[in-house]
């Protein structure tokens, strides 16, 4: 029998793997995981987690079989509409994912099981909340043993949160280059002096740095009570952490300045609603979403909206609204998430994870073209790399926002004109509609992908 290859992101666990056939995702459970899988079902743990909507549901199917030599069961999991990665999350997304992991682990222990790994990649988001997506992360619990995934939990969740909370730096983005998580040796020297007097930092970071440096630590006799106390303390530590975002960033009050007030928003929204009334697709991507004003508008016309912005503070605000079909991510369009990991296949680039029928680029092009010096031709090519049509906003040099961008620099942007804009985008799209936003010189365009 021909073996079906594992998904490039699912090869590290010998308990089973995810694979695809005819566009459908499955998960094979290997023979060596049989006893753990049966306990997951018989203990009531699976039923409990499904009831609480914190674990993806699955059904057992007889076919396909990816690898007959190792095969025990084939599962067809319920799909999560969009998979984002931890380095694309805001502070409260990572914090909620950490609390979910700890809560699930406590529930597992009460059912005689425990999480054998605690990577942040085991969590995704669905209906505005985190959800655990790795069914094979549970194993039989031995009360005498410590939590084998404790260090991994700290590296993937706790240390990035510590750095954001105490150092006020965008540490979560570091997970894109520290795929195994941020180590104690990396995080500890960055902690400010006052943080080192915090009990959580001392126990879970400084002590672990010392243990790692010495190569060994003293043996601790564990029990169920001690394990639950550890998890409860970790919960308390995580809950106490707050995002270090400044109250005001360049972007989180963007629509409150100059012409960009409520009148502008309402006028633009009226045009957008008219155009979206005939939209029949499933997915919309809102590039430069800010705090999600137009993502919320789009959510009424499709199944899911990917709200992307490079300002983590804005994305955090969008996430905290917990809109069921909006998926906020932190994404810098001048340096979007690439394909990374082993063989550059383990984590996919965004255009491979989302296939929109429509994208928004509202109040965005002038920032890319003038603030970031990206030619209009390159901007047009970038948006065309995503499937689907495009609604885009042209902001001319007469606009107050463009004047602000040019106020402290030489205007070298002779090609930043409406004619050039239309010329470059016409290489990839057909211009179907246009409308001037009342009270401004801005123009909205509805473009159909060629």
């Amino acid at each position: 029998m021909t073996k079906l290859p594992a998904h490039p992101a699912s090869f590290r666990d010998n308990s089973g793997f995810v694979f695809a056939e005819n566009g459908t995702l499955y998960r094979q459970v290997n023979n060596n995981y049989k006893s753990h899988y049966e306990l997951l079902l018989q203990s009531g743990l699976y039923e409990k987690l499904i009831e609480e909507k914190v674990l993806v549901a699955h059904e057992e199917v007889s076919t396909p079989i990816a690898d007959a030599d190792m095969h025990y069961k084939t599962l067809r999991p319920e799909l999560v509409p969009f998979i984002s990665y931890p380095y694309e999350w805001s502070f409260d997304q990572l914090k909620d994912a950490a609390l979910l992991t700890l809560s699930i682990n406590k529930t597992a222990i009460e059912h005689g099981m425990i999480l054998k790994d605690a990577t942040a990649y085991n969590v995704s988001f669905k209906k505005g909340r985190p959800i655990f997506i790795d069914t094979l992360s549970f194993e039989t619990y031995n009360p005498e043993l410590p939590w084998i995934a404790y260090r991994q939990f700290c590296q993937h969740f706790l240390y990035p949160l510590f750095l954001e909370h105490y150092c006020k730096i965008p540490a979560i983005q570091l997970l894109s280059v520290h795929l195994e998580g941020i180590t104690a040796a990396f995080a500890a020297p960055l902690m400010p002096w006052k943080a080192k007097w915090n009990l959580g930092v001392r126990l879970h970071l400084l002590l672990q740095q010392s243990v790692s440096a010495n190569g060994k630590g003293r043996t601790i006799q564990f029990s169920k009570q001690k394990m639950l106390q550890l998890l409860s303390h970790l919960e308390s530590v995580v809950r106490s952490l707050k995002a270090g975002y400044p109250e005001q960033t360049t972007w989180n009050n963007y629509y409150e300045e100059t012409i960009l007030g409520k009148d502008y928003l309402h006028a633009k929204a009226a045009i957008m609603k008219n155009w979206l009334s005939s939209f029949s697709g499933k997915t919309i991507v809102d590039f430069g979403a800010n705090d999600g004003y137009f993502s919320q508008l789009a959510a009424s016309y499709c199944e899911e909206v990917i709200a992307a912005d490079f300002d983590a503070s804005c994305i955090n605000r969008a996430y905290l609204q917990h809109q069921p079909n909006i998926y906020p991510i932190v994404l810098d369009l001048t340096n979007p998430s690439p394909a990374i990991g082993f063989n550059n296949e383990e984590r996919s680039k965004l255009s491979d994870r989302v296939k929109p029928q429509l994208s928004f680029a509202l109040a965005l092009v002038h920032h890319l073209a003038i603030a970031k010096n990206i030619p209009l031709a390159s901007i047009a090519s970038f948006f065309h790399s995503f499937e689907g049509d495009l609604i885009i906003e042209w902001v001319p040099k007469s606009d107050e926002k463009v004047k602000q961008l040019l106020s402290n620099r030489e205007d070298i942007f002779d090609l930043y004109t409406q004619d050039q804009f239309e010329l470059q985008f016409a290489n990839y799209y057909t211009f179907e509609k246009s409308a001037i936003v009342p009270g401004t010189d801005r123009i909205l365009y509805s473009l159909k992908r060629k």
Side-chain angles (χ1 to χ4, degrees), residues 131-379:
I131 187 168
F132 204 79
I133 61 175
D134 190 356
T135 311
L136 308 189
S137 284
F138 303 91
E139 68 179 6
T140 304
Y141 174 50
N142 182 342
E144 297 181 357
L145 297 179
W147 185 23
I148 192 174
Y150 168 71
R151 178 180 296 180
Q152 189 177 54
F153 175 84
C154 291
Q155 293 183 176
H156 278 251
F157 293 108
L158 192 58
Y159 299 161
L161 292 172
F162 274 164
L163 289 173
E164 293 243 349
H165 174 86
Y166 288 108
C167 302
K168 316 300 183 188
I169 60 174
I172 294 173
Q173 297 173 29
L174 295 174
L175 293 171
S176 65
V177 292
H178 295 266
L179 293 183
E180 302 298 327
I182 295 173
T183 64
F186 181 95
L190 298 177
M191 287 289 107
W193 180 253
K194 66 176 183 179
K196 297 180 180 181
W197 294 101
N198 177 273
L199 180 60
V201 172
R202 293 178 70 85
L203 286 178
H204 302 297
L205 175 56
L206 302 183
L207 179 60
Q208 301 311 310
Q209 179 200 26
S210 175
V211 169
S212 299
N214 294 330
K216 63 180 180 178
R218 64 186 180 91
T219 302
I220 301 175
Q221 185 67 38
F222 261 80
S223 65
K224 179 179 177 180
Q225 180 182 8
K226 286 184 177 181
M227 182 66 75
L228 292 175
Q229 287 175 344
L230 169 65
L231 297 177
S232 293
H233 187 256
L234 284 169
E235 280 184 324
S236 177
V237 171
V238 171
R239 289 186 191 281
S240 71
L241 300 175
K242 306 295 181 183
Y245 304 131
E247 292 186 9
Q248 291 292 338
T249 70
T250 304
W251 311 106
N252 65 10
N253 65 337
Y254 186 78
Y255 289 118
E256 303 302 323
E257 298 178 354
T258 61
I259 64 167
L260 300 178
K262 291 183 179 180
D263 290 343
Y264 163 76
L265 281 178
H266 293 164
K268 187 160 73 170
I271 298 169
M272 296 289 290
K273 289 177 181 178
N274 181 44
W275 289 358
L276 288 170
S277 63
S278 59
F279 178 71
S280 58
K282 176 183 177 183
T283 304
I284 293 175
V285 178
D286 185 5
F287 291 109
N290 201 264
D291 61 2
Y293 181 93
F294 287 97
S295 298
Q296 292 184 54
L297 186 153
S300 300
Y301 299 90
C302 64
E303 293 183 25
E304 64 247 4
V305 179
I306 315 303
D309 200 281
F310 85 100
D311 190 314
S313 175
C314 290
I315 289 301
N316 205 55
R317 287 165 55 182
Y319 167 70
L320 290 175
Q321 297 174 48
H322 299 297
Q323 296 289 327
N325 63 333
I326 296 180
Y327 296 82
I329 58 170
V330 179
L331 184 77
D332 182 352
L333 294 186
T334 66
N335 185 28
S337 304
I340 58 176
F342 183 71
N343 203 28
N344 294 115
E345 295 180 324
E346 201 171 354
R347 312 297 170 202
S348 303
K349 62 182 181 179
L350 181 64
S351 59
D352 288 338
R353 284 177 280 144
V354 59
K355 305 295 181 182
Q357 288 72 55
L358 178 65
S359 295
F360 294 170
L362 306 177
L364 178 61
V365 170
H366 56 303
H367 293 292
L368 296 176
I370 294 178
K372 300 297 183 180
N373 288 51
I374 300 176
L376 289 172
S378 299
I379 295 172

Side-chain angles (χ1 to χ4, degrees), residues 406-421:
L406 291 171
S407 62
N408 293 314
R409 63 178 304 183
E410 180 184 358
D411 183 357
I412 59 173
F413 304 99
D414 295 338
L415 295 179
Y416 186 78
T417 67
Q418 184 179 344
D419 288 343
Q420 277 294 316
F421 167 81

